[in-house]
Amino acid sequence: MSQDGLALAEHFSQVFREEHRFVRDALLDLIDAFRQRDRARIGGLLQQIAAATGPHFRYEEEALYPALVDIFGPEYVEQLYGAHDGAISGARRLVELAGKSALGDADVAEAVRLVRGILPHVSDCEGLSIMVERLPAASVQAIFDGRDRSLGAGLGLLEWAEGVRSRPAVTSA
């Protein structure tokens, strides 16, 4: 890879890591908010997470994952899509829980379980950036272009998953 291509891949790694850090921290804060039964904080965090993950998931699915098929093969890339299915389902259920008039102990326990079910995807996905280093510079640029389009559309996670995503949105956690 050329110096320009390597610099582009390194820039991608930085951007990708910051996106994952934001989501990681917001998810961990969400666990705390559910445990505290702080409904205002829960709602705010869910909005922040949706605003960040909608564009992020979109460009992963539309640009990053297809670029990684030649490296990983279609079976593993399908697992990445499946992890998104689970995260979308979990997010949908978290929104339902947040909308309840009162949060009981079972609701809090379920919310914590759901968030903990999403967190491994955040950390596992972070490792994809080292594979992007092996892609041609044009492919890395295409991923950035997909990211720009996704950010420009500004769709939240569920709005994107239910209205735009080419893969049907899952309906249960």
Side-chain angles (χ1 to χ4, degrees):
M1 180 179 281
S2 71
Q3 287 293 62
D4 289 341
L6 187 55
L8 189 61
E10 287 175 1
H11 179 60
F12 173 79
S13 292
Q14 291 170 347
V15 168
F16 207 53
R17 173 160 287 163
E18 286 307 311
E19 290 175 354
H20 287 120
R21 279 186 179 135
F22 175 84
V23 173
R24 173 204 64 197
D25 292 346
L27 287 170
L28 292 172
D29 290 346
L30 185 61
I31 288 174
D32 182 62
F34 267 102
R35 285 181 173 157
Q36 299 298 318
R37 291 173 171 78
D38 184 339
R39 297 170 57 75
R41 189 167 168 228
I42 291 167
L45 285 164
L46 286 172
Q47 288 177 351
Q48 290 174 25
I49 293 165
T53 57
H56 184 83
F57 276 33
R58 184 175 187 173
Y59 87 82
E60 283 181 333
E61 290 195 10
E62 293 178 1
L64 176 61
Y65 292 175
L68 295 174
V69 170
D70 285 343
I71 293 173
F72 286 117
E75 295 83 10
Y76 181 73
V77 172
E78 179 59 32
Q79 289 178 29
L80 294 171
Y81 287 107
H84 277 188
D85 292 342
I88 291 163
S89 179
R92 185 177 291 115
R93 180 66 182 140
L94 286 165
V95 169
E96 290 171 2
L97 289 169
K100 291 183 93 169
S101 59
L103 291 170
D105 290 344
D107 298 321
V108 171
E110 182 181 2
V112 170
R113 180 188 60 79
L114 289 166
V115 173
R116 285 181 174 160
I118 296 168
L119 280 167
H121 176 68
V122 176
S123 61
D124 293 350
C125 190
E126 174 59 28
L128 297 178
S129 63
I130 66 167
M131 301 313 248
V132 170
E133 293 173 357
R134 296 299 307 247
L135 296 174
S139 295
V140 179
Q141 186 58 56
I143 294 166
F144 270 119
D145 293 345
R147 180 179 182 271
D148 290 344
R149 284 189 304 277
S150 296
L151 288 170
L155 300 177
L157 180 63
L158 297 180
E159 185 180 12
W160 164 73
E162 295 167 356
V164 176
R165 188 180 191 219
S166 61
R167 182 183 179 104
V170 292
T171 58
S172 62

